[in-house]
């Protein structure tokens, strides 16, 4: 069954590295949310100006459409995306044509959040900025942390991203295996999903 796995979290949490490894492990497409940002969004963030919803919504809709195309064609995809707010995740979840709002168990888009101490995140962001590897300065970390919102009822697993990448990947793969086992079991007993 086609699925989309979103590796989410604030900047510097390791989303891209983990998502790339996951897509290689699953032998599926990798989507990098940063590549879907408009040039004006990138310039704004580069200047240390946080994005507003007016900036984010077209970006999220473009991501939703890209995921939707993968699902419709029967492909699994892995997306690296901050997805900080529930309303943003709902836009991404709507890529699943069968998604019923609030029915997270049956949605084909699953989220896994990477977390780390603020000091670690800031250090990673500073190193990337110094090397010219990313447009997001560490000064925007505070605004991202303030935006981050995860509700227990969404059942989004959180993984400590200070572990080595292989350990993080192993945990993510274990979560996916458990998820797929649960889906297969529910399909045996009901046609809900």
């Amino acid at each position: 069954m086609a699925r989309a796995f979103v590796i989410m979290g604030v900047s510097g949490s390791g989303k891209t590295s983990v998502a790339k490894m996951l897509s290689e492990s699953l032998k599926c497409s990798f989507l990098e949310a940063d590549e879907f940002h408009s040039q004006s969004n990138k310039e704004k963030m580069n200047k240390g100006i946080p994005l507003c919803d007016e900036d984010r919504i077209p970006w999220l809709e473009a991501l939703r459409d890209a995921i939707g195309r993968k699902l419709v064609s029967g492909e699994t995809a892995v997306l690296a995306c901050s997805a900080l707010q529930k309303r943003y995740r709902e836009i991404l979840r709507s890529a699943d044509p069968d998604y019923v709002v609030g029915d997270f168990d049956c949605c084909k888009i699953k989220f896994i959040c990477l977390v780390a101490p603020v000091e670690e995140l800031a250090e990673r962001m500073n190193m990337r900025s110094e090397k010219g590897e990313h447009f997001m300065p560490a000064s925007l970390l505070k605004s991202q942390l303030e935006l981050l919102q995860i509700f227990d009822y969404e059942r989004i697993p959180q993984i400590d991203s200070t572990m080595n990448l292989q350990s993080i990947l192993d945990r993510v793969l274990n979560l996916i295996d458990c998820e797929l086992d649960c889906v297969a079991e529910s399909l045996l007993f009901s046609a809900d999903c």
Side-chain angles (χ1 to χ4, degrees):
M1 185 188 314
R3 285 276 200 252
F5 298 101
V6 182
I7 305 300
M8 61 168 284
V10 298
S11 192
S13 60
K15 299 182 297 291
T16 299
S17 298
V18 172
K20 279 182 182 175
M21 288 177 68
L22 179 60
S23 69
E24 289 168 10
S25 183
L26 297 177
K27 296 177 177 33
C28 68
S29 298
F30 166 70
L31 301 169
E32 170 56 68
D34 286 343
E35 293 174 6
F36 288 76
H37 272 300
S38 66
Q39 189 57 37
S40 61
N41 279 4
K42 290 179 183 179
E43 288 170 7
K44 196 171 182 180
M45 288 184 280
N46 196 33
K47 292 176 184 171
I49 303 167
L51 299 181
C52 62
D53 279 357
E54 188 177 297
D55 303 315
R56 285 190 189 96
I57 300 303
W59 168 66
L60 290 161
E61 289 172 342
L63 291 168
R64 174 203 60 205
D65 295 346
I67 294 169
R69 286 189 293 276
K70 296 290 181 190
L71 294 176
V72 166
S73 66
E75 294 179 62
T76 290
V78 176
L79 170 66
C81 178
S82 53
L84 300 174
Q85 295 262 299
K86 179 180 175 280
R87 66 181 181 263
Y88 305 156
R89 292 188 292 277
E90 285 298 299
I91 293 170
L92 297 177
R93 286 180 179 115
S94 70
D96 176 356
D98 301 320
Y99 176 59
V100 175
V101 174
D103 190 359
F104 308 119
D105 290 337
C106 290
C107 186
K108 293 179 184 81
I109 291 88
K110 300 296 180 185
F111 295 85
I112 298 166
C113 185
L114 301 181
V115 296
V118 177
E119 301 77 24
E120 174 77 16
L121 295 167
E123 184 179 322
R124 290 177 184 181
M125 290 178 75
N126 281 326
M127 282 193 330
R128 287 190 323 194
S129 291
E130 287 169 11
K131 294 177 182 177
E133 295 174 347
H134 203 272
F135 54 82
M136 177 83 80
S139 62
L140 288 178
L141 179 57
K142 183 177 184 289
S143 69
Q144 287 217 322
L145 290 167
E146 289 170 354
L147 270 177
L148 181 60
Q149 165 193 78
I150 299 178
F151 297 105
D152 290 343
Y153 61 81
E154 288 183 272
R155 291 193 292 282
I156 295 174
Q158 296 183 43
I159 296 177
D160 177 1
S161 72
T162 61
M163 296 185 296
N164 69 60
L165 285 172
Q166 188 59 53
S167 296
I168 297 169
L169 177 64
D170 291 344
R171 292 210 180 176
V172 171
L173 288 169
N174 186 50
L175 287 167
I176 290 171
D177 286 344
C178 289
E179 164 70 21
L180 295 177
D181 288 346
C182 290
V183 168
E185 188 175 305
S186 71
L187 289 174
L188 288 175
F189 297 104
S190 100
D192 290 345
C193 294

